[in-house]
Amino acid sequence: MYKSLCKVFSLQTLGRFLSYTSNASSVGFKMVRYFPNLYEDYKPGVDLNIDKEELINQINEYVNNISKRLQPTRKNVDGGLYVGVTGVSFMFYYLSKNSLLSEHKRNYLDKGLEYIKPALEISAGDKTSFLLGDAGTYALAAILYKELGNEHYTEMIGAFRSLYSLYLNPKFLKCGGDEFFVGRAGFLAGALWISRELQSQVFTNEELYKICDIMVVSGRDYSNKHKSPCPLMYHYYNTEYLGAAHGISFILQILLTIPGYLEYNKVAAKDIKATVDFIASLQTEEGNWPCCMEEIGLSDHKLVHWCHGAPGTVYLMAKAYLVFKDDRFYHACLRAGEVVWRKGLLRKGPGICHGVAGNGYVFLLLYRITGDKKYLHRAKLFADFMNTDEFLRDARLPDNPESLYEGTAGTVCYLADLLVPEKAEFPFQDVFSIY
C-alpha cells in the first residue's frame, strides 16, 4: 500500500495521510471530525485556473435543487436567516449582486421576494433575533423591496427600527443578550448591513453607540462578577463561548466595526483592545481556539468550525489587524488558515456554520488580506472537495440541508464568491467595509 500511495502523492502529502489514519485508529475512525486533506498546496509561479463556467453550472444545479426541496411556505419560516426560507431569500439576493450573474439579476430578486414573503406573514421566532427571528427578515425584506423599486421598503426599515428600544434594556434576554444569533451584536450587524446596501444610515452613530455602551457595560459587569481574566466577558446560556456564533469574538468584531465608536468611548476602547489581546493569546500552537473559557488548557481543541473555533474567530483577528495595524493579529489569521487547511474538510456537510464552505471562506478572507494566490488555490480545492465521491458518500446530511447556514444555500454563496474572490465575504461578517 505504501509504495502505491507514493506513486500518487508526494511524501509530504503521504505523511499527512499516515498521521491522520494513525490518529483515527487510536480514537476510532468514525470519531474523526474531518476528512484527510490530501491535496497538494499551491506552488508559487504555477498558474491558478478557476473554471468559472463550471462554478456557474454548480450554482445553477444547487439552486434548482434548493427550489425543489425547500418551498417558500409558512411551515418553512421557522429558523429565520439561519435555517428558514429567509436564508434562501438571502441566497437569491446575494446572487443578484454578483457581476458575473447579472443577466439573471431580476429573476434572483423575484425569487428572493418569493421566499421571504411567508416570513412576512408569520413570525420566524423572536422579533429581536437577527439570525433566528424577525429582525433579519425585516432587514432583508427592506433591501429586496428597495432593489425591486417597491415602496414597501420604508415600511420594513420602520419595522427594523421599531425594535431598537428593546435592546436598550440592560436585562434584555437573560440567556445572554449580546451575541450574534439573538442578541445586540446581531442587530448591530443587521443595521450596518442595511446601511451599506442602501448607502444610507438607518440609525445615527449616536443611536448605535448607545447599544455599544450597553454591550460594554454588560461585558464588564459579567467579567467583574465572575472574575474573568479580561475586562469584558459574555455568556450564552451560562457558557462563556469564544467563537463567532454565540461568543465573544463576534461581539468584539462588531464593537470594532461600529464607525467611530473607539474614538467616542475611549474607556470602552481600552477594554475592547485588552479583551481582543486576550482572545488572541488563547490561540493554540496549531492555530485553533478553545470553544469556550472552560476548555482553556485542554490539550486538543477539536472544533474547527465557523461557529466554534478558528474559522469564526479569524474574522475578529482580521478586523483587529485592519483597525490596530498590529502584525500580531495578521499572523494569528495566517495560523488560523493553517489549521483550517489541515482539519477543515469537515464531515458535517457543505454548510457555512459547521461545514466545508464555511471553512473555505477563511481562505477567501486571507486572499483578500494578503493577495497570496495560495489562499485562492485552497478555497478552490475546498469547493472541489464537495463534489468528490468521498464527500458525497460519507459527509453527514445536515438537519436543514437547503438552508443558508447549515446547508447548500450557504454553499451557493461561497461558490458565487469564488467567481469574484476580490469581493468575497462571509454573510454579515464583512471586515473590509468602512461604514
Side-chain angles (χ1 to χ4, degrees), residues 164-173 184 214:
Y164 173 79
S165 62
L166 299 174
Y167 303 95
L168 300 181
N169 180 355
K171 296 183 179 180
F172 168 72
L173 293 186
R184 297 183 181 98
I214 290 173

Side-chain angles (χ1 to χ4, degrees), residues 342-357:
R342 292 192 301 272
K343 297 183 177 181
L345 294 174
L346 299 178
R347 292 178 173 271
K348 277 199 165 188
I352 61 173
C353 182
H354 37 263
V356 175

Side-chain angles (χ1 to χ4, degrees), residues 168-204:
L168 300 181
N169 180 355
K171 296 183 179 180
F172 168 72
L173 293 186
K174 292 182 180 179
C175 65
D178 295 298
E179 53 84 75
F180 179 30
F181 276 44
V182 302
R184 297 183 181 98
F187 184 73
L188 290 178
L192 292 175
W193 181 75
I194 295 174
S195 295
R196 189 191 70 177
E197 299 303 294
L198 293 181
Q199 293 294 296
S200 176
Q201 277 192 303
V202 178
F203 296 99
T204 65

